[in-house]
Amino acid sequence: MAEEKSALQSAREWVVDHKLRAVGTLWLSGIVGSIAYNWSRPGMKTSVKIIHARLHAQALTLAALAGSALVEYYDHQQGSGSKVHQYAKQILSSDGSSQKE
């Protein structure tokens, strides 16, 4: 019987497979959350609220990109096979078979 994957393991695999989508979603949620937080604070101009929301989302995105790079590095070191290596092997094997004909 196959082992059941934990929710954390499933989420990790999804993030590894969809890095840019995860970073984009995190950026969007950062913008929305920061705007919601800043709008609850009276006494700030609208332009300042928008600038703060952008800065918060930008910092969150940089942290997510750094985390994504660490995950990619960890996967590469563990030899679990990044997609780049898988695609390179497929391309090289298909090129070799077409040249033999």
Side-chain angles (χ1 to χ4, degrees):
M1 287 187 194
E3 289 185 28
E4 293 287 326
K5 293 181 182 178
S6 68
L8 183 62
Q9 183 65 21
S10 296
R12 182 187 173 283
E13 287 179 7
W14 186 88
V15 169
V16 167
D17 290 340
H18 303 94
K19 287 181 187 82
L20 290 179
R21 187 174 292 167
V23 170
T25 302
L26 191 61
W27 173 81
L28 184 62
S29 64
I31 284 280
V32 170
S34 186
I35 285 176
Y37 172 72
N38 284 327
W39 240 261
S40 68
R41 298 173 62 192
M44 291 175 68
K45 288 183 176 182
T46 303
S47 61
V48 174
K49 291 177 183 181
I50 292 171
I51 290 170
H52 282 187
R54 184 193 64 82
L55 290 174
H56 293 146
Q58 186 175 6
L60 191 60
T61 302
L62 287 174
L65 285 172
S68 179
L70 286 174
V71 167
E72 186 67 27
Y73 177 76
Y74 175 76
D75 283 347
H76 180 70
Q77 291 298 318
Q78 295 300 317
S80 59
S82 68
K83 285 186 175 184
V84 174
H85 294 297
Q86 292 171 1
Y87 294 145
K89 287 178 185 177
Q90 288 176 356
I91 290 172
L92 291 175
S93 65
S94 66
D95 285 348
S97 62
S98 64
Q99 290 176 355
K100 290 180 184 176
E101 294 179 36

